[in-house]
Amino acid sequence: MAYSAITVSFLSECVEREWGVVALSVQSFPGEHSLTCRFDTADGPLLAKSMTLTLGDAQRELGRLAWQVSVMKQAADSSLPVQRIMPARSGEEVCVFRRDDGRVTIVHVMNWAEGIRVDGVPMTDALAASIGDTAGRFTVALADHRRPPVDTGHHWDALNMGKSLDDMIAGLAGTEARDLVIRARALYAAQVEPVLADLPRQCVHHDMHDFNLLVSSDNTEQVAAILDFGDTTWAPRVAELAVAAAYAARATSHPVRTLGIVTDAYQRHVDLSLTEQQLIGPLACARLALNLATWTVRGTTRTDSYAADRSAASLPALAALLAEFCD
């Protein structure tokens, strides 16, 4: 998919024209393929997310984004702590802006979620349990949600992790991560791939990591918000637990124990099959391996700390989990 840069000034103009929002100040958060901005307004802060694509790519992206917005709305209606979409003055939840270069910019706006990112607070047992509880409630709330109308698979998708790991391994030559990633890939091949096609599937957020979960300053042991539905997809339901547990586990000095705490809390809501239970560890290993491999490779072309921040602590946690789940 071909992406193009978008400026803060252009996004501000789009939001003012279609949503009637005048920003008193703007804070930008550039992502892998998008630009997200906080707009401070007279009525409080809002979040605007945008992506600029070719016209052909935009058609698929609109289908994907509309489905993800519907997921957010169902989650919010189920009393989960998610942001609420703010329709434009036209009533549209996603607006499309044609650019002079023939590309289009897709924009949607939501309320701003206040809080502290989970990576900024200690990973206590209570917080780990809250993460598992939140992931379990999400699985239950979205169990009856419709399938997406377009392919929503991506690099991090549990269904694609084998290929994604293979694509990354070549770039790990001479790194400390390489042997661990290869072991995690072998574990995925041996235990996950043979049963992948038969696993129960549903709508999965697929990205409940420590950058995408917030806690409040009043209670740093309970999840207060789930952010970023950009990786939401149709995937094995156990992937929700595996992702959440993997990132919680890497934030402690006892990853295996923390993974168990998240799992126990999740399973108070979701009755996983024996096969699904057996895949929690291998899938968590694969996710941490992909995190480590991806940001190690991407870090070679960056001059800032973004890549290192995204994979911080993944290596020792992956080593500990592999020691537990590899025969």
Side-chain angles (χ1 to χ4, degrees), residues 231-249:
D231 283 351
T232 302
T233 188
W234 193 263
R237 67 177 176 181
V238 68
E240 196 76 271
L241 168 58
V243 172
Y247 286 97

Side-chain angles (χ1 to χ4, degrees), residues 211-232:
F211 278 38
N212 286 341
L213 297 175
L214 301 182
V215 295
S216 71
S217 57
D218 295 332
N219 185 354
T220 60
E221 294 189 324
Q222 182 171 340
V223 174
I226 306 168
L227 308 180
D228 194 353
F229 281 66
D231 283 351
T232 302

